[in-house]
């Protein structure tokens, strides 16, 4: 049986890659046990690869008012709205791990209104989906609603910017038919003993 | 009279900025005669600023099968679909300059089907808008249609990736109410003598 | 910790239920190891319960040209389009079991175009989604396209009727905030030894 | 002249039908003077026929807080939104008869906001259309709005369930090109002397 | 019982009206037996009234390749898509009279694909609805499809212009809550002896 | 180089035109310095031409509570929503001239929420876009919101009627591929000395 293609475009071999990109891949492999296909497939274009992950890290690894699980909720909810298989599956796994909750990712991907999350998080996702789907309609009242839930202006930039970055990411994954690693589907579903 | 705000967020002063960011701004000011507000407003977050422009340059300045004017057409058409004032006005100006055509930007922003462009460019924009608006529906037949117009697979990545990057860019501009510099509105409209 | 509510409406106790309904529940519990919440929550209205499951069985258990896994694909794809948490999760589990494939349900729920299924199945799901989302536009050409993939007229009734029945089912689940049993999330993901 | 087809599928002859189905048809013929085509066309699949009408009766004939005319309003309004010719025409006729009003069906099919109905009924139809068109967005506030108009939780189940059942019914009618009997078009329009 | 209002705006009395407008009303009353409310309600603004009916007559009374019934089909189909109660009911009546067919208006208002009309007329209505709903997407191929059905370029202007004029008319009727005369509902439904 | 076509239909020569139509064209040429293509292209159908401009003048030249610049804002905003190249460019120019503001037209065409206009004008454009895009949903609350901004009922008729008239105009321009005169693109952008 042939492994299914992970991209519509050529996937470079590890040994052909620029040193910095290979190093990043080995580092993530070390941590996760496998190299997520977003690394392998985007490496087809090294400059775009570097910018993509620099942007990702600036938004997802920084300090701030949102927890890591909340950031991943934004990714999963907006990727669900954009029907992006890679991001739903891969970031769903990461959300399960960060939230230590095996159910929340499938809930947020399907319909955040029915998810086991708080009202503050529902307001966050309502706004993230507005940025994802009809950003031109964002108005002052949206900012005020989030402020009433305790979000600072910098938090709101975070929410909106994560929705915006995954607007890019979802489109790239759909464009090149990026395939989620099989490992992601099960990750975080079975409690460790 | 007070100048209108160019962002909903604080705009750093040039002298407060990290050296690399200030250098980039001075360089663009040297060339364009003014600093486009996208530089000033995104500098509120230096790490995101660096990733944003690295991504932009990787897509817009690279060699490839698309002319610079064609890349800007993609920006203007998808920004029009996303109702993004900053990108329509600023990239409309750049498109006029690159295309040496004072009409084409307003045409493409309104409706590329009625623009003074060729069938190949219309096919390019039809695909770019599909990536911008319903990327999950991209299928093999879309690739084949573009191939029939002479676009290579790498050209198609370029088209899709530019549409994807400006999906991000449009959402950021709408999120922070980024205001286009007044200079952009007239740029490229009056032939130089 | 209190168990989260499985319905916005009262959920009858097993011992209060009419005999035929209780028998059906015990039968499914025997087979699945637990009682899916769709049984418990719809039992609030016994007559509707009976009609619902009679309809379900008439479509999902009958002989015909579609495999059981294909029928569940239709359920999962259209429930994904309708953002119905209960049906995505519960029928996703059933699909994994019938297809003996731990990945296909998440794929079909997100975007059937990227799923590990054949062209015939993609044509089936394209039609099912048309019935689910814009049934008034169904025309002869749709029938002809399916016939070209080997579907008989009776198969097409099956596809359309399953999409139609889950249009009802998804709306009921969304109306009453039907909660998927926790068991469904993991079912069919881990190969049995 | 040949009578136009009433279904894309074979229509069984009365004498070929199972006894219970034929009995039901003769009973309705007795009352209405003709057999509505929904009976004749769905009889192509006896098990689905039985479930369909059991569901229909459970919702439309039961006691409850909604009048029979109000239930038919829900059918007509949601069938209008789904562009279902059979249900608009057939249930429009039934609505005229129950409401003893020759105008209200055409009004509700076109735009309930302009119909000669009360505010309570407009709120009911607004909710029914939300269930019909975007049920995943139903939230607590919708329930509260209806409660303020005096609807009980059981009434709300009725409203939502009728909208859900006709989501199924409309899709079946569109799927098989179910043709309304000519008799329905005039029924209830001319006051009896 | 008070007669329901026919407009949200003041309705002038016949004797207050400019002579030409009153004359037109009396003429239509002579022919139809009543004054359609579109005349009474738009007379609130005499200059707009004159332009409206001049435009109407230029499109609906002129010679050309479309029959009068076909023109009214365009009105009814596009008014159905715009949910305009006045135009569906009033022009539905006129369509029944011109087509000498008591069924066709309700069919076309609900879904022209299921109406008792020919393929040429279905192509005409498909184009009319494109002009009504997404005119910016009209392309050469649409013209060619209509030409293949025997429509001349002037016929296509007629189709498009009628759809365009009733885009205006539907919006005015919705804006002012124009009420159809009760007489229209029954007109053309009962064959004359 | 051949001048691009200004219409998909024949454009009559000035000397072939009926006297009243030619006179109107010469008058506008006298004032504007050129004949806008809407005159030349619609003259293909003299009766429709006369009705079109009579309607236009009745709405755009009359006295009333809206300034001329505000009326043009309505035209530009709704034409932007309808992707009508001719009206965006031609009425954008007129708006710049009336408002003595070189920026406002591009702002309103892209997204009125980000334009340099007041809250009253934003409320006006929100309503105009509702009439343009989903007029059947206009309800009393819309009227009340406008009244709270000081608009009279007659002002609201003006706003709605302008949106309605340009619903017609946009569709005609899209239908016949009406091309804006090159002169419009620059008009009102460069301050006169």
């Amino acid at each position: 049986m042939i492994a299914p293609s992970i991209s519509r475009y050529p996937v470079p071999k590890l040994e052909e890659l620029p040193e910095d990109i290979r190093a990043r891949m080995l580092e993530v492999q070390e941590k996760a046990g496998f190299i997520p296909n977003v690394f392998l497939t985007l490496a087809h274009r090294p400059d775009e690869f570097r910018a993509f992950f620099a942007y990702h890290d600036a938004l997802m690894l920084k300090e701030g008012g949102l927890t890591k699980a909340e950031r991943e909720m934004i990714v999963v909810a907006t990727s669900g709205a954009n029907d992006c298989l890679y991001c739903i599956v891969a970031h769903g796994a990461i959300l399960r791990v960060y939230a230590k909750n095996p159910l929340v990712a499938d809930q947020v991907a399907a319909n955040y209104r029915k998810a086991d999350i708080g009202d503050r998080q529902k307001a966050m996702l309502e706004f993230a989906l507005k940025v994802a789907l009809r950003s031109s309609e964002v108005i002052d009242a949206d900012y005020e609603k989030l402020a009433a839930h305790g979000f600072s202006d910098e938090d709101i930039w975070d929410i909106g910017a994560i929705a915006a970055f995954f607007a890019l990411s979802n489109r790239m994954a759909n464009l090149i038919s990026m395939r989620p690693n099989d490992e992601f589907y099960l990750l975080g579903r079975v409690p460790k003993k």
Side-chain angles (χ1 to χ4, degrees), chain A:
Chain A
M1 199 184 118
I2 300 166
S5 163
I6 64 170
S7 168
R8 171 185 277 277
Y9 284 85
V11 177
K13 291 184 190 147
L14 270 184
E15 59 270 24
E16 298 162 1
L17 286 169
E19 184 48 36
D20 61 319
I21 292 180
R22 187 169 54 241
R24 168 110 200 206
M25 287 195 193
L26 295 175
E27 184 192 8
V28 73
Q29 189 177 31
E30 178 81 21
K31 228 192 320 198
F34 62 95
I35 304 177
N37 289 338
V38 65
F39 291 93
L40 292 166
T41 57
L42 292 187
H44 176 59
R45 296 260 184 115
D47 288 346
E48 298 170 37
F49 176 103
R50 290 183 188 103
F52 183 92
F53 288 103
Y55 218 133
H56 173 275
D57 294 354
L59 290 169
M60 304 302 282
L61 306 183
K62 73 184 277 286
E63 298 297 303
L66 308 181
T67 67
K68 283 194 173 174
E70 285 171 339
R71 290 171 210 216
E72 295 295 334
M73 278 179 204
I74 296 170
V75 180
V76 172
T78 59
S79 300
N82 289 326
D83 295 339
C84 176
L85 176 61
Y86 185 87
C87 297
I88 294 171
V89 171
H91 287 273
I94 303 173
L95 171 53
R96 286 189 294 271
V97 170
Y98 283 156
K100 297 188 202 319
N101 178 332
L103 310 185
V104 70
D106 293 344
Q107 292 171 348
V108 165
N111 186 355
Y112 75 89
R113 295 172 198 81
K114 311 290 187 188
D116 297 333
I117 58 177
D119 283 349
R120 183 177 180 274
Q121 290 168 329
K122 288 185 184 173
M124 174 187 82
L125 294 179
E126 185 187 13
F127 182 73
L129 285 165
K130 186 167 187 181
V131 172
L133 299 177
R134 37 196 189 91
S135 69
S136 70
E137 299 178 24
V138 169
I139 52 175
D140 287 355
D142 297 310
Y143 273 78
E144 288 155 20
K145 233 191 285 182
L146 288 172
H149 281 283
F151 291 103
S152 71
D153 277 359
E154 293 303 317
D155 294 339
I156 299 174
W157 177 303
D158 285 344
I159 299 169
I162 292 169
F165 178 73
F166 280 89
L168 154 64
S169 183
N170 291 170
R171 282 160 182 75
M172 284 308 300
N174 280 333
L175 176 73
I176 70 173
S177 290
M178 191 186 293
R179 181 183 175 84
N181 307 57
D182 291 5
E183 288 87 342
F184 280 126
Y185 289 81
L186 194 57
L187 208 70
R189 293 191 183 274
V190 189
K192 288 187 188 153
K193 320 251 166 91

